[in-house]
Amino acid sequence: MAQVATDSLKNHQLQEVFITGTRTERSAATLPLPTQIISGESIQKSGVSRLNEIIQEQTGLITVADFGGGEGIQMQGLDAAYVMILIDGQPLLGRSAGTLDLSRISVNHIDRIEIVKGASSCLYGSEALAGVINIITKKIKTTDTLKGNFSYKKATFNTHDASATFEYGHQKVGMELFGNYFNTHGYNLSKNDYLQTVQPYHNFTIQPKIKINFSSQINLSVNARFYHQNQDNKSEIGTAFYRGQSQINEWNHSLILNQTIDSNFKLVYDLYATRYQAHEYLNDSNDVLFDKSQFDQRYYRPEIRSHYKIGKNILSAGMGLNYETLNRTYFENKATLNSEYIYGQLEWYIKKKLNVLLGFRYDHHHQYESQLSPKIGLNYQWNDHFSSKISVGYGYKAPDLRQLYFDFTNSSVGYTVLGYNVAKQKLDLLQSQGQILFTQGADFSKALKPESSVNFNWGGHYQKSNWSVDYNFFYNRIKNLIDTRAVAQKTNGQNVFSYFNMNQIFTYGLELNSLYKANANWSVAVGYQYLIAQDQGVINKIERGEVFARDPITLNSFKLKPSDYFGLYNRSKHTANIKVNYLISAIKTSVNARVFYRSKYGIYDSNSNGILDQYDDFVKGYFVTNLTLSKDFKHQISAQAGLINLFDYTDPNNIPNLPGRQFFAKIQYEF
């Protein structure tokens, strides 16, 4: 992501800076892409602590819990594996099974969150198939005095969240240090006295920043982030109990050199490196090691970018390379992915009312097919109140290292899962050992293809007086979906699975966001998403009369109709939110109330026909209400108190990331 050294590329003072969608600074209102900004002010008013908590309060963004208690994000009906997460434009690692846990990010140092919905591979490559979430941390301020703040939050489940920021700088050098400590006893929605839904854990984050202005033309930014987490690890197998620890260590480092050649031309040299490690173990009741696993992922990316201004138009180009390694349990050897890429983009202001975004990116991969990712978007300003935008883009997600190199056999059940690139060799080995009963003729001669999508968005923005409305119709179609299927049966009766390009899925729907500001003291925001997400392969089978269901009363089987098919798992057709802000200016107190609704969705195939149909059991629709009170005092002191999940809604069997009513209180001091 381009960090602008000077204002030389700005046309005017920008009220809402948005750099994720184009890698250049521009007003969010002019972007021909479906975008959203979560301001630092709205984050602060909500009183939340972690990134997953603020993300799940946004229209069209659903947080989904994984088996370990972490939460990923679903966007436009597409899984968390297809959403790229960035901090200050740099990608985060740590997707053990496709989900990147958002709860490991503290919100206490966030300036804003920029969201681009829809395929964004033309700028960011793999993983940006569904969209991009860019967490922009606070910038170093030029000041000759030491400034900073302290905050402390106490919440239910014996949760403690403490943060501190220190900043000092002058015209030549600026420095900042942010630290956060988070500790919670977790929570338990089950009746099991030994295993909790989420085990106790604690973590800390340290983020130092340095900015050096060598001259008016050259400056250097040095950014780092260190994260460490410890969590209790427990397991119960039969009558045996096991206990251990789970540990995460992560660091991110970036060096960004901005060089302004002249008022129309600048260069950015970007060197980024990151490492994510996870280790866990279990001991038996005699403190003897029972099981352990490790995950060690590294990523290096040097990149050079250029931005050239031609009148009002901006031509951007960049090139770089990616080098990624992963060493983890169930990998025979350390796996490596490497690629080179080049991209270009034109922000073209054809007339005063029309601007066009044209972009492409070419990724030359060494382990799978190379990819060309084009995109085009148009924004037309009809008048002072109404503008419309349309975009078409291509996105892709490369096979991850697990899908390529996994070598896992379940010791208790006996099934085996093999990555595509090692499957042929491992199958031959199992066959030579007499472990294979028969194979199913799988062909591993061609490389596994990346998943790819075509994304369409059409929307607009209307604003007049105190009222504004944003709408967006979207459509995504994913080809070459990577899924597992059986390739052989073992002599123990269990299957051998591997990964293949299989189905096509599609999602489409509508998003609406409306804001009404009655006056300076209160406002109401309303958001809504309608979503359809289905598998084309399932639809084809139903139309051919190949899918059946059983009547629960008569127990007779019957063919399903296309209208019986509900769609993909864990997708709700309707989600909505209402947010009310009210300021009682006489006592400097604000009230922030948020209500969220999610309609029914399915997570199990209860009638065992392999699809989610209307005769399955569903998770019922539900409401969650959050309330926060904020009060400003003298001497730069402020305080908050609030309730999350005010009416204590829980569903222990289906929604593990909804722990019930939570109280919190927070105090902050700035100096």
Side-chain angles (χ1 to χ4, degrees):
M1 181 182 65
Q3 293 192 0
V4 179
T6 70
D7 292 338
S8 60
L9 295 181
K10 294 182 182 179
N11 295 325
H12 52 81
Q13 184 66 32
L14 299 176
Q15 294 180 344
E16 278 189 311
V17 172
F18 206 102
I19 50 185
T20 305
T22 61
R23 292 194 183 221
T24 59
E25 284 194 344
R26 63 184 291 175
S27 168
T30 68
L31 278 172
L33 307 170
T35 58
Q36 184 177 352
I37 292 178
I38 308 173
S39 68
E41 180 183 7
S42 65
I43 296 172
Q44 191 277 329
K45 285 182 177 180
S46 70
V48 301
S49 295
R50 317 306 288 180
L51 181 62
N52 59 303
E53 296 174 308
I54 193 65
I55 287 294
Q56 66 190 6
E57 295 191 353
Q58 312 308 313
T59 304
L61 303 181
I62 303 296
T63 56
V64 180
D66 65 14
F67 61 88
E71 293 182 69
I73 181 171
Q74 186 188 107
M75 183 184 293
Q76 290 192 350
L78 300 178
D79 275 337
Y82 305 122
V83 180
M84 175 167 277
I85 309 296
L86 310 170
I87 292 186
D88 292 324
Q90 313 289 18
L92 289 179
L93 300 185
R95 298 176 184 264
S96 60
T99 298
L100 194 149
D101 182 15
L102 303 178
S103 66
R104 75 185 203 233
I105 308 297
S106 169
V107 302
N108 292 328
H109 192 51
I110 293 178
D111 179 69
R112 66 188 183 277
I113 301 172
E114 301 176 346
I115 301 169
V116 175
K117 297 180 179 180
S120 300
S121 293
C122 69
L123 286 180
Y124 293 101
S126 180
E127 291 184 11
L129 185 148
V132 175
I133 295 179
N134 192 6
I135 303 140
I136 308 295
T137 60
K138 293 180 180 179
K139 292 183 178 180
I140 298 174
K141 298 177 182 178
T142 302
T143 174
D144 290 326
T145 59
L146 180 65
K147 291 188 176 182
N149 63 74
F150 297 96
S151 69
Y152 171 71
K153 176 181 174 182
K154 177 70 167 63
T156 304
F157 310 125
N158 201 20
T159 298
H160 304 266
D161 181 24
S163 293
T165 303
F166 302 92
E167 55 183 339
Y168 177 79
H170 48 78
Q171 188 175 3
K172 289 292 185 180
V173 180
M175 295 174 287
E176 182 186 77
L177 178 64
F178 167 76
N180 173 260
Y181 176 76
F182 187 85
N183 187 318
T184 180
H185 281 191
Y187 58 88
N188 191 14
L189 297 175
S190 71
K191 297 180 181 179
N192 190 313
D193 294 329
Y194 185 71
L195 293 178
Q196 291 190 180
T197 305
V198 172
Q199 298 294 339
Y201 66 93
H202 66 271
N203 57 54
F204 67 81
T205 303
I206 299 175
Q207 289 181 241
K209 290 184 178 182
I210 299 174
K211 185 173 182 179
I212 304 172
N213 295 311
F214 296 105
S215 67
S216 59
Q217 286 78 36
I218 299 177
N219 68 66
L220 175 68
S221 296
V222 183
N223 301 328
R225 175 176 171 270
F226 302 91
Y227 176 82
H228 173 81
Q229 176 172 294
N230 272 330
Q231 184 170 25
D232 291 353
N233 187 23
K234 293 183 178 181
S235 182
E236 181 179 351
I237 303 176
T239 59
F241 297 90
Y242 302 89
R243 180 189 297 269
Q245 284 285 321
S246 175
Q247 186 179 99
I248 295 173
N249 289 290
E250 179 186 13
W251 55 257
N252 322 95
H253 302 315
S254 68
L255 294 172
I256 300 176
L257 182 69
N258 292 281
Q259 180 182 10
T260 301
I261 307 300
D262 56 39
S263 60
N264 295 321
F265 184 43
K266 62 170 283 188
L267 294 170
V268 181
Y269 309 90
D270 185 349
L271 178 61
Y272 178 65
T274 183
R275 184 180 186 183
Y276 178 91
Q277 295 173 284
H279 304 274
E280 63 179 36
Y281 70 90
L282 286 170
N283 290 343
D284 63 19
S285 57
N286 297 317
D287 206 29
V288 176
L289 181 66
F290 170 74
D291 186 40
K292 67 177 181 178
S293 64
Q294 62 92 21
F295 184 101
D296 187 355
Q297 187 177 16
R298 306 186 189 208
Y299 176 80
Y300 306 93
R301 189 211 61 202
E303 181 180 281
I304 181 172
R305 303 185 286 272
S306 66
H307 304 282
Y308 185 67
K309 184 179 176 184
I310 310 169
K312 293 183 178 181
N313 310 311
I314 299 177
L315 179 64
S316 302
M319 61 186 300
L321 60 89
N322 298 310
Y323 181 77
E324 178 183 350
T325 64
L326 177 59
N327 189 6
R328 65 173 294 185
T329 307
Y330 312 123
F331 277 33
E332 182 175 351
N333 300 302
K334 181 171 69 175
T336 300
L337 293 179
N338 57 307
S339 63
E340 302 83 35
Y341 62 89
I342 183 172
Y343 68 86
Q345 177 181 264
L346 174 62
E347 298 173 66
W348 185 13
Y349 293 82
I350 300 177
K351 293 182 178 181
K352 183 178 180 180
K353 293 186 176 183
L354 176 65
N355 72 83
V356 179
L357 182 70
L358 299 170
F360 81 94
R361 174 171 167 141
Y362 179 74
D363 289 86
H364 176 246
H365 296 287
H366 296 263
Q367 283 74 29
Y368 41 84
E369 285 187 347
S370 298
Q371 295 290 308
L372 176 65
S373 306
K375 189 161 192 172
I376 181 171
L378 296 90
N379 185 305
Y380 188 78
Q381 187 77 33
W382 296 93
N383 52 47
D384 292 339
H385 306 294
F386 177 61
S387 64
S388 58
K389 60 182 70 176
I390 186 170
S391 64
V392 181
Y394 174 87
Y396 80 97
K397 180 185 178 298
D400 62 40
L401 291 166
R402 170 179 53 95
Q403 294 165 335
L404 294 176
Y405 298 106
F406 208 42
D407 182 5
F408 169 75
T409 297
N410 183 280
S411 57
S412 58
V413 180
Y415 67 86
T416 296
V417 183
L418 300 174
Y420 185 88
N421 285 9
V422 300
K424 179 67 167 62
Q425 175 189 353
K426 296 298 179 181
L427 276 174
D428 291 343
L429 178 62
L430 291 173
Q431 203 155 24
S432 68
Q433 295 172 344
Q435 295 191 48
I436 298 298
L437 184 63
F438 63 86
T439 63
Q440 298 185 4
D443 182 10
F444 296 97
S445 61
K446 296 181 181 179
L448 193 63
K449 296 179 180 180
E451 298 171 285
S452 62
S453 76
V454 176
N455 166 252
F456 298 89
N457 288 280
W458 175 71
H461 173 78
Y462 178 82
Q463 183 169 0
K464 189 173 183 180
S465 300
N466 299 331
W467 184 54
S468 66
V469 178
D470 288 278
Y471 66 90
N472 183 59
F473 296 91
F474 60 86
Y475 175 84
N476 297 279
R477 179 173 287 273
I478 299 181
K479 296 174 59 178
N480 297 319
L481 181 72
I482 298 175
D483 204 349
T484 55
R485 70 175 174 89
V487 296
Q489 188 175 92
K490 302 171 74 173
T491 52
N492 63 2
Q494 296 296 321
N495 288 324
V496 178
F497 298 92
S498 189
Y499 298 90
F500 291 90
N501 297 115
M502 298 176 68
N503 300 331
Q504 296 185 23
I505 66 173
F506 62 88
T507 73
Y508 64 86
L510 165 68
E511 284 187 13
L512 288 171
N513 281 291
S514 178
L515 174 65
Y516 177 71
K517 292 184 177 181
N519 51 48
N521 291 334
W522 76 277
S523 64
V524 179
V526 179
Y528 169 75
Q529 177 184 263
Y530 173 74
L531 172 69
I532 295 294
Q534 296 185 334
D535 185 330
Q536 186 63 51
V538 171
I539 293 174
N540 295 341
K541 288 182 179 179
I542 293 175
E543 291 176 345
R544 293 195 299 264
E546 299 174 2
V547 184
F548 294 80
R550 186 182 297 272
D551 189 296
I553 299 176
T554 66
L555 300 182
N556 294 326
S557 294
F558 59 92
K559 292 181 181 180
L560 289 181
K561 305 185 297 292
S563 59
D564 294 328
Y565 178 42
F566 188 83
L568 302 182
Y569 296 96
N570 218 340
R571 272 74 169 179
S572 297
K573 288 186 177 180
H574 308 280
T575 54
N577 60 74
I578 300 175
K579 304 174 185 178
V580 179
N581 283 287
Y582 182 69
L583 173 64
I584 309 172
S585 55
I587 57 175
K588 296 183 179 179
T589 300
S590 63
V591 181
N592 183 256
R594 294 99 65 199
V595 181
F596 309 97
Y597 170 72
R598 183 177 184 186
S599 68
K600 72 174 187 178
Y601 58 95
I603 54 177
Y604 302 112
D605 172 25
S606 57
N607 58 17
S608 302
N609 60 2
I611 72 166
L612 183 63
D613 58 63
Q614 65 172 336
Y615 305 103
D616 286 309
D617 296 328
F618 286 82
V619 180
K620 295 180 180 179
Y622 61 90
F623 288 90
V624 172
T625 301
N626 300 337
L627 179 67
T628 305
L629 302 177
S630 303
K631 166 72 175 175
D632 291 332
F633 297 94
K634 295 180 180 179
H635 309 297
Q636 304 299 309
I637 297 174
S638 61
Q640 286 184 317
L643 286 162
I644 304 298
N645 197 355
L646 175 64
F647 298 106
D648 197 27
Y649 180 82
T650 59
D651 185 348
N653 296 323
N654 300 309
I655 315 177
N657 60 331
L658 198 60
R661 185 186 296 117
Q662 303 164 67
F663 300 86
F664 72 86
K666 180 179 180 180
I667 188 167
Q668 180 168 309
Y669 169 66
E670 295 186 8
F671 63 91

